[in-house]
Amino acid sequence: MPKVTVDGNEIEVPDGATVLQACELAGKEIPRFCYHERLSIAGNCRMCLVEVKPGPPKPQASCALPATEGQDIRTDSQMVKTAREGVMEFLLINHPLDCPICDQGGECDLQDQAIAYGRGGSRYEENKRAVTSKNMGPLIKTIMTRCIHCTRCVRFSEEIAGVDEIGALYRGEDMQITTYLEQAAKHELSANVIDLCPVGALTSGPYAYESRPWELKKTLGIDVSDAVGANIRIDSRGREVLRVLPRDNDEVNEEWISDKARYQVDGLTRRRLDKVFLRKRGKLVEGSWDEAFKAIAKAKPGKSIAAIAGDMVDCETMFAAKALLKASGSGLIESRQTGMTYDCSNLAAINFNSTFAGIEEADAVLIVGSHVRWEAPLVNVRLRKATKRGAKIFLVGPEWETTYPAEFLGSDLSVLDNLPSHVADALKNAERPAVIIGGAGLAGGAHGAALKIAHDFNMVKDGWNGFNVLHFSAARMGAVMLGYAQEGGIADLVAAKPKVVLALGADEVDWSQFDGSLKVYIGHHGDKGAHAADVILPAAAYTEKPGTYVNTEGRVQMSDKAIFAPGDAREDWTILRALADALGVSVGFDSFDELRAAMTSEVPALGNEGMIADYGALPDSIGDGSSSGEIKGYPVQDFYLTNPIARASTVMQQCSAELLHSDELKEAAE
């Protein structure tokens, strides 16, 4: 490890570190626009200039200069100060004076660094250049006159997302950043360029002119649009969520989130259930909480009561419902809404055991029945990193557009019983082989075959577990840990013919199966489940209550309450607690803290944030280990419309229409 001196202090830096990283290790702030730790080095903004000896007697770009033994680095000399002032003066030659109306105002790198490192005046009096703004789709608002050509957006699209949609045209003063043939940016992570842009050239279209950052209350939350559990920050004002931004978590989402996680939040204010409804003479009419509870109690369910958990429900809600059913003498609880019946008796056999960070180290991956790019865009990013390190990826299922080199082996699951020789050789010779089975693979009965492949190719060994199940529902792992998995799935509940069925935000169930039951929907949107319900009890969305979620890699994460639920809507656990009184049973808790304590007492792992330490060993087999049939489609048919909040979102509807279905942009007649 080389030793360098930074402003008179000698420090040791890792091999391969740059001068900029050495300065940061020494506690010095180095201004930058083009440099980003997760992107390749461009070295084109020149803002990070420092003085280095031995070397030429001129300032040098620290982001592109390797740190070597004996360097004497100065970040505070007069030469460095003058050079940075000059660079900032150049950057501001053409930058418009838009700060009062720019959405980046208050969180703009250019503003901050102009104040800290600029001169306070300019010697240039020529006219500023102007650049035509580009249409990058419904999510990204562009004002390209503000662009300083840092190329962060270009490098993100090429290197992280793996989609070459953004690039630069022309040279010198005529240089412009634009999309390919001026089409929309269509990949699932496109809006991350908004966070990366250090100026106001790329800003959020749906959030344009909504508020200033200092007006917002910031709450730590967890994304529930998929099973990755991306860490997010919920920015709200009053009783409305205005935007969602990613939080850094290298183990889960790094610093990216999907476009759906970011922009579905406008659906929180649309199609909301904020009143109690009861079905009378075939029509839903407004009622009161008292009427609703009396109607449920009148059914006298006794032991004949069931609960089905939806895809976005927190663990506390599921535990409260389970406690209610247990007190009533029932154990009819299920979370796999579409009727899947895979074996949940061993949690290690339904977990993403490699972890998200770990899958980057895999050198051969077999993916069975998963459209990873839509089901978990952030896992897709990790797989792309693995291919950059030389990993070979093979897929079983209908073809989809990958963002990395991959080979499709067809849709027939029988290929798992007799893998092609080159696939078998790749898995056999790999140091860290892995198999990922998705929802279509589980539904097709390939669970046992995938487990057999994991054993046959020695995917479980010291320091490595290559058997992975990729769920697409945020609630799935928590639900299974709480016992929401009948051996026969939903069919077991149908066969029991319960008098009352509690739908905990369950919108994907075929409710015609429960024609003889009183269907009670406890949820936040007037979606599919509410349409079929006999009683609707308005509940809180994920931004309106605290909750615990377990992602598909078995990581327990907790979310805070950002805003209050609208109208008469209440937090789910309070509804279930009141329902227990109406049914004359005791659930053993009267507050959220008591509920969480009871839950962690029953399932201790849910009380500790972070990875669940041990799910135990993988079973030797599930079924006979063979598979047959064909994967005809994936669970996610439309990336932007996978849940009730997204389906209520006008932004997600617009994305679906324009980006997936190629609908023309609707324009008003002149």
Side-chain angles (χ1 to χ4, degrees), residues 18 38 161 191 206 239 252 270 275 286 300 309 356 395 457 470 584 588 626 647:
T18 63
R38 300 193 196 278
R239 299 190 70 162
V252 183
R270 294 178 172 85
K275 294 274 192 295
E286 193 177 317
K300 297 181 179 177
F356 300 150
L395 301 102
F457 291 96
L470 183 59
S626 64
R647 288 191 285 266

Side-chain angles (χ1 to χ4, degrees), residues 223-246:
D223 170 45
V224 297
S225 66
D226 58 32
V228 171
N231 290 209
I232 57 174
R233 192 185 86 195
I234 303 163
D235 286 0
S236 58
R237 184 178 61 193
R239 299 190 70 162
E240 186 177 356
V241 174
L242 292 184
R243 68 175 180 180
V244 159
L245 296 176

Side-chain angles (χ1 to χ4, degrees), residues 188-189 226 258 372-382 639:
E188 303 75 29
L189 301 167
D226 58 32
S258 71
V372 185
R373 188 171 165 184
W374 281 5
E375 292 171 20
L378 298 171
V379 175
N380 197 57
V381 167
R382 304 279 192 173
F639 170 72

Side-chain angles (χ1 to χ4, degrees), residues 3-51:
K3 291 182 179 178
V4 299
T5 303
V6 180
D7 293 344
N9 298 320
E10 187 177 76
I11 62 166
E12 217 172 34
V13 297
D15 292 326
T18 63
V19 169
L20 186 150
Q21 290 168 327
C23 294
E24 290 194 328
L25 283 172
K28 302 294 180 180
E29 182 181 350
I30 304 295
R32 84 290 298 267
F33 293 110
C34 69
Y35 175 81
H36 190 279
E37 53 270 16
R38 300 193 196 278
L39 304 176
S40 62
I41 293 170
N44 55 13
C45 77
R46 318 308 288 178
M47 195 64 208
C48 63
L49 296 173
V50 295
E51 186 179 352

Side-chain angles (χ1 to χ4, degrees), residues 347-359:
L347 290 174
I350 57 166
N351 188 52
F352 200 94
N353 296 294
S354 298
T355 72
F356 300 150
I359 201 66

Side-chain angles (χ1 to χ4, degrees), residues 29 31 47 81 85 88 110-118:
E29 182 181 350
M47 195 64 208
K81 182 176 183 295
E85 287 176 352
M88 182 57 71
L110 190 64
Q111 277 185 335
D112 297 342
Q113 292 182 39
I115 291 170
Y117 304 102

